[in-house]
Amino acid sequence: IKQRLIVTIQQTCYPRLTTVLIEALNPENWPFFKADILAIESSTYEPSRRDSPDFLEKIVTHPKSLSLIARINNETAGFCLGAPLDLFSHVRGPREDTEPLPSRVLYSADTCVCSQFRRQGVGRALKQQQIQLAQQAGFQAITGRNRAGLAQDMWRLNRSLGARAFHIIENDYNDDLTPNLCIYYRINLTP
């Protein structure tokens, strides 16, 4: 999706109504949003789960990228990044995936929401939009990873959107945090 995509979603938040603007991330607007994305990722993920800025750019600039940014009142509220599974052959989970057509599977690499905008439906709005766009683009499934324990909110969100655990990966993170388990999940987009 190279053209600018903006979706307005009304979310009922605690006492007020919030408008979330969701826009496609692409090579043209990546430089504008890069610093915000790196800051949100840094504040959300422990070091062992962070991707390099170069790899994040590679995801966003991939010709079949389905990466999105969420904005509330001109502030970056969150983002989700995704590209075809074959771009992630260096990552455990995608590397062991036996999918015969990895270019037909979208790997949802990152979904992060700034702490001040959490629990307001921003993550759900991003994921729902990514799923809709993946279906429109002809992807057969979406896969991704959630760290057990530390990413329980994301795992619950993904489960509510149809994710099922596909593979449990042990000792995947280079740190002393426990549990050191990763849930590799799959959301089927075709019947």
Side-chain angles (χ1 to χ4, degrees), residues 151-172:
Q152 283 307 107
D153 289 342
M154 276 308 303
W155 175 233
R156 276 192 289 280
L157 171 60
N158 285 319
R159 292 250 325 140
S160 75
L161 296 172
R164 297 295 173 256
F166 193 65
H167 181 53
I168 303 298
I169 303 166
E170 295 181 1
N171 301 315
D172 190 50

Side-chain angles (χ1 to χ4, degrees), residues 122-175:
V122 175
R124 177 171 295 281
L126 284 163
K127 290 295 286 189
Q128 286 175 324
Q129 188 64 35
Q130 190 178 53
I131 289 168
Q132 181 181 349
L133 291 170
Q135 288 172 321
Q136 291 170 1
F139 285 100
Q140 297 174 345
I142 294 176
T143 62
R145 296 162 31 116
N146 291 133
R147 186 168 185 171
L150 296 175
Q152 283 307 107
D153 289 342
M154 276 308 303
W155 175 233
R156 276 192 289 280
L157 171 60
N158 285 319
R159 292 250 325 140
S160 75
L161 296 172
R164 297 295 173 256
F166 193 65
H167 181 53
I168 303 298
I169 303 166
E170 295 181 1
N171 301 315
D172 190 50
Y173 301 100
N174 229 357
D175 57 34

Side-chain angles (χ1 to χ4, degrees), residues 76-94:
T76 301
F79 64 91
C80 67
L81 307 180
L85 185 65
D86 45 9
L87 181 65
F88 301 89
S89 60
H90 65 286
V91 177
R92 288 185 67 196

Side-chain angles (χ1 to χ4, degrees), residues 38-107:
L38 293 175
I40 293 170
E41 187 186 54
S42 179
S43 69
T44 302
Y45 291 160
E46 63 279 3
S48 62
R49 279 198 293 162
R50 295 179 199 150
D51 288 310
S52 73
D54 289 342
F55 191 67
L56 294 176
E57 182 173 358
K58 192 173 184 179
I59 297 168
V60 170
T61 60
H62 188 282
K64 290 189 173 184
S65 174
L66 289 181
S67 299
L68 305 165
I69 190 108
R71 313 252 307 147
I72 296 175
N73 298 328
N74 292 321
E75 283 188 68
T76 301
F79 64 91
C80 67
L81 307 180
L85 185 65
D86 45 9
L87 181 65
F88 301 89
S89 60
H90 65 286
V91 177
R92 288 185 67 196
R95 183 172 58 221
E96 293 89 11
D97 198 313
T98 57
E99 173 60 46
L101 298 169
S103 63
R104 303 283 297 184
V105 175
L106 181 76
Y107 181 72

